[in-house]
Amino acid sequence: EKEGIVLVMGVTGVGKSSFIDKLLPGSVEVGHTMESTTQNPQAVKLFLDEKQTESVTVVDTPGFDDTWRTDEEVLEVIAEYMATQYVLGVPLKGIIYMHSITEVRMKGSSRKFLKMFQSLCGDDAMKKVILVTTHWDAIKPAEMGDATRREQELIDRWWAPMLRKGSWTTRYHGTRESAEALVLELAEDEESIVLDVQRELIDYNKKLGETRAGLPFKQELEEEIAE
């Protein structure tokens, strides 16, 4: 517990479970169908040294656009996990936020998750967030130009607010070495972070619907009831 955790986040299908599986093959269920596989957070321990005395736990979280659950239910699972981690005093070393480079345009679920993610984290935590584009190994040479332009649009338009607050970007190439490098970059830094949603739920005793991350869902529900 004292060595902490790294969260892996993103919408369903961006490659979170595959990323965890690269770190420890066979440790998590990886989806190969059109259905979502990660129903609850899945965790693996990664040792940071050859003597296996230092480690970090990497956690695969459920994503929006789930096959079986609403986005509100997914948020509840994520928030409960984060609140428990905070109450137990387990350090959060950082977050790896994933977005598939094969996504031709920013779809609604991706925009919604990105907005929720920023509200979950808050400004102070952004310095320990890596914004990662995935599925580069699926890009053919003839498609590389379009993929690079999509990457630049993410940086200039969608991720700019987080980058200004200290986040940084990189590519994940689908290899174990690439996965380990991302985790180590966060884990080897002694500093840990506390997310806004953790303070809201635990320190200020708010309900999830009263937090910055949960409020938009509460408003959507109220509008649906009104209709």
Side-chain angles (χ1 to χ4, degrees):
E1 289 83 353
K2 69 183 189 330
E3 288 158 351
I5 66 172
V6 170
L7 295 176
V8 183
M9 302 185 70
V11 299
T12 297
V14 296
K16 302 186 300 296
S17 298
S18 296
F19 177 85
I20 301 289
D21 193 63
K22 287 294 182 183
L23 296 172
L24 187 61
S27 58
V28 298
E29 185 178 0
V30 180
H32 298 291
T33 68
M34 296 178 69
E35 295 181 358
S36 307
T37 54
T38 304
Q39 298 300 307
N40 294 296
Q42 304 180 89
V44 300
K45 178 179 281 191
L46 179 67
F47 288 100
L48 306 177
D49 60 336
E50 291 183 1
K51 295 181 179 179
Q52 298 190 349
T53 57
E54 297 182 14
S55 66
V56 65
T57 300
V58 187
V59 182
D60 172 21
T61 60
F64 278 14
D65 218 7
D66 189 274
T67 309
W68 306 109
R69 294 181 296 189
T70 65
D71 290 344
E72 293 87 340
E73 290 171 318
V74 171
L75 173 60
E76 189 173 358
V77 171
I78 294 172
E80 182 180 4
Y81 189 91
M82 290 177 169
T84 304
Q85 167 250 314
Y86 183 52
V87 168
L88 292 176
V90 179
L92 176 56
K93 307 299 289 186
I95 302 176
I96 296 171
Y97 182 92
M98 294 187 156
H99 180 94
S100 176
I101 198 62
T102 60
E103 190 173 307
V104 178
R105 54 184 62 85
M106 182 71 86
K107 58 186 180 182
S109 58
S110 296
R111 292 198 303 271
K112 192 175 185 180
F113 192 90
L114 181 62
K115 186 175 182 180
M116 182 276 296
F117 175 76
Q118 293 176 78
S119 297
L120 274 177
C121 293
D123 292 349
D124 292 343
M126 286 298 165
K127 61 190 175 185
K128 294 297 293 288
V129 172
I130 307 180
L131 303 168
V132 181
T133 45
T134 63
H135 294 148
W136 284 98
D137 50 329
I139 299 295
K140 299 175 183 178
E143 302 168 338
M144 188 58 69
D146 289 337
T148 302
R149 282 189 288 273
R150 290 196 295 271
E151 178 187 41
Q152 195 60 49
E153 183 181 1
L154 283 170
I155 292 170
D156 294 341
R157 181 178 179 183
W158 301 105
W159 291 351
M162 294 183 286
L163 294 172
R164 287 195 292 267
K165 294 164 187 169
S167 302
W168 67 102
T169 68
T170 190
R171 298 177 180 181
Y172 170 56
H173 297 286
T175 65
R176 179 174 180 175
E177 292 75 20
S178 181
E180 286 182 344
L182 288 171
V183 173
L184 291 174
E185 194 163 358
L186 293 171
E188 290 180 340
D189 185 351
E190 293 185 2
E191 186 178 4
S192 59
I193 53 174
V194 177
L195 307 180
D196 274 9
V197 72
Q198 294 173 321
R199 291 192 178 96
E200 289 178 293
L201 291 173
I202 305 305
D203 297 343
Y204 306 138
N205 199 30
K206 289 185 178 182
K207 296 178 181 178
L208 183 57
E210 297 170 339
T211 65
R212 283 182 59 215
L215 192 58
F217 294 101
K218 182 181 179 182
Q219 292 171 341
E220 282 181 17
L221 182 60
E222 289 173 348
E223 289 172 3
E224 289 173 7
I225 292 172
E227 289 178 6

